[in-house]
Amino acid sequence: MAKEALMKFLGTGMVVLPAIMAVGTGSLDAVAMTLFPLLMLMLSVLMVNPDDPIGDKLKAEAREKDEPPQ
């Protein structure tokens, strides 16, 4: 599954689920308890396959020059 699709899915969940919990329970504690695991999931998706456009560019230039990247 693509990283962008996971980010959109979790982003939608971070908007919808706390809103449902706030209306259903009337408790801000319940909203905070649902946002924390969703935040951890979002951060894990970002860490698994991080985007590194600068590093990718440096590696491509090093391959062109046949030098090891720094």
Side-chain angles (χ1 to χ4, degrees):
M1 185 174 225
K3 180 178 170 180
E4 290 81 19
L6 282 172
M7 294 291 289
K8 288 179 183 178
F9 178 75
L10 288 174
T12 303
M14 288 183 86
V15 172
V16 174
L17 186 61
I20 291 172
M21 291 296 291
V23 171
T25 63
S27 170
L28 289 176
D29 291 337
V31 173
M33 287 187 283
T34 58
L35 278 175
F36 182 73
L38 288 171
L39 176 65
M40 293 300 117
L41 285 172
M42 183 74 77
L43 291 175
S44 66
V45 168
L46 287 172
M47 290 175 59
V48 167
N49 189 11
D51 294 331
D52 188 12
I54 296 172
D56 293 340
K57 183 179 177 184
L58 290 175
K59 288 177 187 175
E61 288 175 359
R63 273 188 238 118
E64 289 175 3
K65 296 178 183 178
D66 294 328
E67 297 175 1
Q70 296 177 353

